[in-house]
Amino acid sequence: MENENGNNITNSSQNLISKIYRKNFHNDQSILRSNDQDQMKILSAHYESLDYDVCENLLYLEEEHLKGYKFVVKKNVCRWLIFLLIGACTAFIGIFIDISIEELSNIKYNRLKTYFDRFITENNLLLPFGIWVAFNVIPVLIGTLLVTYIEPVALGSGIPQVKCYLNGVKIPRVVRFKTLLVKTIGVITTVVGGIAGGKEGPMIHSGAVVAAGISQGKTTTFKTDFGILKFFRNDHEKRDFVSGGAAAGVAAAFGAPVGGVLFSLEEGASFWNQSLTWRIFLASMISTFTLNIVLSTYHGYPGHLSYPGLLNFGKFDDLSYELPELIIFVVIGTAGGVFGALFNCINHKLMIFRSRYMKAKYSKVLEVIVVAAVSAAIALFLIYLSNDCKPLGDDPTKNPVQFFCPDGQYSTMTALWLQVPEASVRSFFHDKEGSMDCSTIILFAMAYYILSIWTYGINVSAGLFIPNLLIGSAWGRLIGVYLRNTFPDSEWPDVGKYALAGAAAQLGGVVRMTISLTVILIEATGNITFGLPLMVVLLTAKWVGDFFNEGIYDIQIRMSGIPLLAWEPPPLSSNVYASEVMSYPVVTFKKRENVGRIVDVLMKETYNGFPIVDVKDIELEEEELEPKPRGHLRGFILRHQLIILLKNKVFNEIPSIWESDQISLEMFRQQYPRYPNINDVNITEEERNFTMDLSAFMNPSPYTIPHKASLPRIFKLLRALGLRHLVVVNDNNEVVGIITRKDLARYRVSKHFGKIIVEEMNIL
Ligand code: ATP
């Protein structure tokens, strides 16, 4: 069927949207349907859902009964120990990344300083420029080759992928050891290469991989199974551990254990409980503590514990504020929202351009090389333009370069470029007023803004936290300088304070996280008093940014076509019923089912779950106009369970298999998470006439929903319980339809310039 815009839409979605229109928005212009036929409207069928629901079948009950209370205690102790290990291992990865970057960057910037000092006197800029380009391109090239040819899923910060995983979407290879290796080397090379990317975002991804690896006791990359922790091999447990890993990653990156817990809560896990919070908090604490001990020792202050995170904001002398200043923070937040929205808009256009015209791998590598070279060229051009010289002696930089400055002075623009970006953030936060000219700050901020937009999304592993903090701290500092000059006799305009607010605003305007980011920044600055201004800035930036477009991670998720379930159902959709969004006719099985039929169905259909019903044989019609009841619901069985049963020949006609101890949960766990395909199963003609008893394996109490249930209720069930399937039943508990997460993920609600857009995605 075609709608008025010429889009192909299904029966149920037509109903959904027409209903929304009919009842609620009859004359309301605020709801539009997007006409865009761009990539944003496609959901990839490639991504499957995770299932947070535990299948409490007879095997599960038997195991629970046999192993008893001791097993529960053992499992719990193991859980705590694993979270502890996740914290420690994530910290060690952070330490490795940090020290590698520091050592390699020191070598790079020292060499560059030497070359500049030597060749400037000879008025030869070309050679140091060539060396600078080489220092940028060589490491970045290593990183991009790894990401492009070895593990593309290690691209970017990894936060969108982790967010999807925590929200129940399986992203292939996202938590593999190989991904971690590529990510770690990729981040080091990117930051050392000096392009506009940070190491903090990738730490979150690294934590998630560590968690998945440790908790499963095996690695697919090395094809090694340690044979331990098998009882954690299911989506439910694994996802809990990954939440802990992501939190530990945040804790290590920013020295923010509470921010880590909140990050997992805000961005990820829909399902949450008290004990999980405790365990995640433990992982975060251990992570930041371990990192602190090692990095403090490395920096020569053992026992001082002054390096809680990779990102070190330094100590602010004064972050006090007066109440009227909140208005200025609102203005800063607004500016952050606008700059952030512009960042996301241009970056989105670039993403579309790349996906259309840069499909070949070599073109992606080429773009990275160009970005690395252009980054050096822009830096050098600005250094060349700038005549901002300050006296040596109170220079806050490690590598003061004289460049064209008079003797005894150094070039401040050079100082900003010839250090790692974190150090430049600290410069904007803490350097004395007047230590750099406003023109230097403006040029630097503009250049870095353009470079960051271009860099985020190229084929390297790098995040956008640091680049945005850097841009924001630069323009925030400018606001501080302006206020200082406007109110010279007042105490309150402190440039560092406004630099911090600007940094928060810029980052908030791009990523649109609020609670976790506020707490992360509070913990990173170590100042609770400044919490309110930070929150005001971040909330304003989010609201203003949301007025224009979505956060960068959500844009990326859409671009990848990942079927992430929205946080909220479409507004005013309580009058849309399950019967309008469900799929029918439903393919069902009986408790005692013919092997041939099971094989045929699995071969023909790709469905991942099947209701088990008592007998009511109705011929399936291809085009069923009305949903017909398919028998009383008795249970639910997953596709992979059926395939494993077929593979192991668990047939009623082969009694020996039932007598052996082969039939247990172990049979299913062994294969987790890569289950065999139906084509891997060999069934003889004789076996096709056999039967299978599914009652021991099916979930006897699947979640169901009445056909009259409203869309918001369905949303709540799927989202809050992390379900993959929901069976729709009629008043007699007969199966009439089925709803999956993807069925609802198709309906996207977003805001664009204040208008609410209800879109229907196509699943391809
Ligand atoms: P995922 O792959 O994440 O489980 P999905 O929606 O692709 O999500 P499938 O089980 O492949 O899951 O279902 C594809 C479509 O078929 C969905 O629209 C779903 O409602 C429908 N569907 C699922 N199971 C059945 C079934 N047993 N009978 C009829 N339709 C089904």
Side-chain angles (χ1 to χ4, degrees):
M1 187 191 292
E2 290 225 321
N3 73 349
E4 68 275 15
N5 295 328
N7 302 330
N8 273 328
I9 59 176
T10 60
N11 243 348
S12 50
S13 58
Q14 174 77 62
N15 283 342
L16 169 71
I17 288 156
S18 67
K19 274 224 163 196
I20 292 172
Y21 274 118
R22 195 178 65 237
K23 289 236 175 155
N24 303 311
F25 305 110
H26 198 55
N27 290 318
D28 190 345
Q29 289 302 303
S30 67
I31 290 227
L32 299 179
R33 293 215 51 210
S34 165
N35 259 332
D36 292 359
Q37 285 300 314
D38 66 13
Q39 197 144 0
M40 305 275 279
K41 294 199 70 180
I42 292 171
L43 285 191
S44 168
H46 184 58
Y47 299 102
E48 296 207 332
S49 304
L50 297 167
D51 203 346
Y52 206 59
D53 190 22
V54 177
C55 174
E56 288 173 350
N57 56 16
L58 281 181
L59 298 182
Y60 178 86
L61 298 182
E62 191 187 326
E63 181 178 279
E64 211 177 66
H65 179 74
L66 272 179
K67 297 198 169 168
Y69 189 68
K70 254 186 167 173
F71 181 59
V72 177
V73 176
K74 178 181 160 193
K75 238 172 134 175
N76 242 334
V77 172
C78 282
R79 271 198 200 101
W80 281 97
L81 287 176
I82 292 171
F83 272 96
L84 199 139
L85 261 179
I86 290 171
C89 294
T90 306
F92 280 113
I93 291 175
I95 293 162
F96 175 70
I97 292 177
D98 194 60
I99 295 182
S100 310
I101 290 177
E102 180 140 351
E103 294 296 336
L104 294 171
S105 299
N106 274 345
I107 298 173
K108 171 181 169 178
Y109 294 128
N110 260 324
R111 302 299 317 152
L112 278 177
K113 175 184 155 49
T114 317
Y115 286 120
F116 271 122
D117 286 344
R118 186 177 339 148
F119 289 102
I120 288 295
T121 44
E122 297 163 17
N123 218 353
N124 178 358
L125 267 184
L126 218 57
L127 197 69
F129 173 64
I131 292 167
W132 194 345
V133 170
F135 271 136
N136 273 20
V137 169
I138 294 168
V140 170
L141 182 64
I142 298 171
T144 185
L145 287 176
L146 287 175
V147 171
T148 312
Y149 292 100
I150 311 259
E151 193 44 274
V153 84
L155 186 149
S157 69
I159 295 180
Q161 290 92 326
V162 173
K163 181 175 163 165
C164 291
Y165 188 90
L166 295 182
N167 280 296
V169 186
K170 196 186 281 178
I171 313 279
R173 307 185 316 279
V174 75
V175 287
R176 289 254 186 109
F177 190 71
K178 188 163 98 182
T179 311
L180 178 64
L181 273 182
V182 172
K183 187 123 232 163
T184 309
I185 302 175
V187 173
I188 296 172
T189 51
T190 306
V191 180
V192 172
I195 60 175
K199 59 185 185 252
E200 283 68 16
M203 269 312 295
I204 299 169
H205 189 177
S206 305
V209 184
V210 166
I214 295 181
S215 66
Q216 300 299 295
K218 63 175 184 177
T219 128
T220 316
T221 307
F222 296 122
K223 296 195 175 40
T224 311
D225 187 341
F226 299 102
I228 50 167
L229 306 174
K230 286 187 178 164
F231 37 83
F232 290 138
R233 293 184 190 172
N234 61 53
D235 285 350
H236 183 107
E237 296 283 359
K238 193 170 170 184
R239 217 171 103 185
D240 280 356
F241 287 116
V242 171
S243 316
V250 175
F254 301 98
V258 183
V261 177
L262 287 175
F263 172 85
S264 280
L265 186 62
E266 187 178 15
E267 285 298 309
S270 347
F271 186 74
W272 204 258
N273 60 48
Q274 199 198 31
S275 48
L276 179 62
T277 318
W278 267 113
R279 287 194 289 264
I280 292 181
F281 190 46
L282 173 84
S284 302
M285 266 303 177
I286 294 291
S287 172
T288 186
F289 183 70
T290 314
L291 189 110
N292 207 341
I293 292 185
V294 180
L295 283 190
S296 301
T297 312
Y298 167 74
H299 286 108
Y301 308 102
H304 270 223
L305 300 187
S306 41
Y307 288 86
L310 298 188
L311 174 64
N312 187 351
F313 277 173
K315 201 168 158 15
F316 284 86
D317 293 334
D318 183 19
L319 279 178
S320 59
Y321 58 95
E322 290 169 23
L323 270 188
E325 278 185 79
L326 287 180
I327 299 169
I328 303 173
F329 293 125
V330 170
V331 174
I332 292 180
T334 309
V338 173
F339 292 147
L342 184 66
F343 184 107
N344 294 358
C345 173
I346 305 175
N347 195 270
H348 175 206
K349 302 265 182 264
L350 277 174
M351 283 185 216
I352 294 176
F353 179 85
R354 286 186 190 117
S355 68
R356 281 196 191 142
Y357 304 109
M358 295 179 55
K359 291 203 171 88
K361 288 188 171 174
Y362 73 87
S363 63
K364 296 177 186 191
V365 173
L366 215 63
E367 187 191 14
V368 174
I369 295 174
V370 173
V371 170
V374 170
S375 301
I378 290 184
L380 193 71
F381 179 64
L382 292 188
I383 290 172
Y384 188 74
L385 277 191
S386 165
N387 53 7
D388 180 9
C389 300
K390 295 286 177 280
L392 279 168
D394 46 15
D395 43 286
T397 172
K398 263 192 197 169
N399 302 308
V401 180
Q402 184 176 352
F403 216 80
F404 292 131
C405 291
D407 285 348
Q409 299 201 358
Y410 76 100
S411 151
T412 51
M413 184 63 98
T414 320
L416 283 177
W417 287 104
L418 286 194
Q419 60 186 355
V420 286
E422 282 92 337
S424 301
V425 174
R426 279 195 297 274
S427 287
F428 289 129
F429 283 168
H430 304 295
D431 284 3
K432 277 200 318 249
E433 246 180 289
S435 59
M436 53 188 104
D437 291 352
C438 285
S439 59
T440 307
I441 304 177
I442 293 173
L443 284 176
F444 180 81
M446 278 173 28
Y448 219 81
Y449 188 67
I450 295 166
L451 283 175
S452 315
I453 294 177
W454 190 10
T455 307
Y456 192 68
I458 61 171
N459 256 36
V460 290
S461 297
L464 47 63
F465 274 64
I466 289 298
N468 278 290
L469 288 173
L470 184 52
I471 298 160
S473 59
W475 62 254
R477 188 178 170 100
L478 280 176
I479 294 179
V481 172
Y482 170 77
L483 290 170
R484 196 93 186 113
N485 293 340
T486 317
F487 304 98
D489 302 326
S490 308
E491 287 274 300
W492 56 267
D494 175 75
V495 284
K497 180 170 67 180
Y498 290 104
L500 176 60
Q506 175 70 36
L507 184 56
V510 172
V511 299
R512 314 278 163 82
M513 300 184 322
T514 43
I515 313 166
S516 51
L517 198 54
T518 312
V519 176
I520 286 170
L521 294 178
I522 291 176
E523 289 184 277
T525 48
N527 187 307
I528 195 79
T529 336
F530 206 61
L532 181 70
L534 282 177
M535 198 191 74
V536 169
V537 161
L538 286 167
L539 267 183
T540 322
K542 178 175 166 56
W543 285 336
V544 173
D546 281 349
F547 179 80
F548 297 107
N549 51 28
E550 290 178 295
I552 192 82
Y553 299 139
D554 291 316
I555 294 179
Q556 260 187 298
I557 290 169
R558 277 194 183 219
M559 282 292 297
S560 322
I562 301 174
L564 182 69
L565 201 56
W567 290 107
E568 304 285 343
L572 307 172
S573 57
S574 311
N575 58 339
V576 178
Y577 303 109
S579 52
E580 295 170 71
V581 286
M582 69 189 192
S583 300
Y584 62 86
V586 187
V587 178
T588 55
F589 289 121
K590 286 173 278 185
K591 271 192 190 174
R592 192 184 173 92
E593 190 57 85
N594 174 268
V595 171
R597 175 164 185 258
I598 296 180
V599 174
D600 291 344
V601 168
L602 294 183
M603 284 284 191
K604 183 166 172 249
E605 311 288 359
T606 54
Y607 306 142
N608 287 306
F610 303 89
I612 306 281
V613 291
D614 61 4
V615 193
K616 188 159 193 176
D617 272 333
I618 300 175
E619 272 302 300
L620 271 189
E621 296 162 26
E622 284 294 326
E623 291 284 324
E624 207 167 271
L625 295 176
E626 282 291 309
K628 289 185 189 154
R630 308 232 88 85
H632 292 102
L633 180 68
R634 291 292 173 248
F636 196 83
I637 193 141
L638 295 167
R639 183 186 185 85
H640 77 254
Q641 288 178 307
L642 289 170
I643 297 178
I644 290 173
L645 291 175
L646 287 171
K647 220 173 168 207
N648 287 281
K649 316 261 181 209
V650 186
F651 305 143
N652 295 337
E653 288 73 11
I654 310 181
S656 55
I657 182 101
W658 291 92
E659 281 145 25
S660 72
D661 53 5
Q662 196 182 336
I663 295 183
S664 69
L665 281 188
E666 217 44 51
M667 191 166 79
F668 298 94
R669 282 184 190 133
Q670 260 169 15
Q671 309 281 340
Y672 180 81
R674 270 161 288 282
Y675 296 114
N677 193 285
I678 184 65
N679 297 318
D680 305 332
V681 178
N682 280 326
I683 298 290
T684 61
E685 271 310 307
E686 188 198 358
E687 286 167 347
R688 283 182 64 84
N689 298 319
F690 289 177
T691 53
M692 265 166 77
D693 186 354
L694 302 178
S695 44
F697 310 103
M698 68 182 194
N699 183 355
S701 50
Y703 287 98
T704 60
I705 195 123
H707 62 125
K708 283 183 197 146
S710 70
L711 189 61
R713 288 185 89 76
I714 306 171
F715 238 88
K716 260 180 227 156
L717 261 178
L718 284 172
R719 197 162 219 312
L721 298 182
L723 304 180
R724 190 174 182 184
H725 300 95
L726 205 47
V727 182
V728 184
V729 290
N730 66 11
D731 297 340
N732 301 322
N733 198 33
E734 289 170 311
V735 175
V736 287
I738 190 164
I739 299 173
T740 62
R741 281 171 75 87
K742 249 185 229 159
D743 287 334
L744 292 202
R746 303 173 70 164
Y747 303 110
R748 283 267 171 89
V749 180
S750 56
K751 288 188 199 142
H752 188 67
F753 287 100
K755 300 199 194 302
I756 302 169
I757 301 175
V758 182
E759 286 173 303
E760 186 221 351
M761 316 293 215
N762 299 311
I763 301 186
L764 290 180

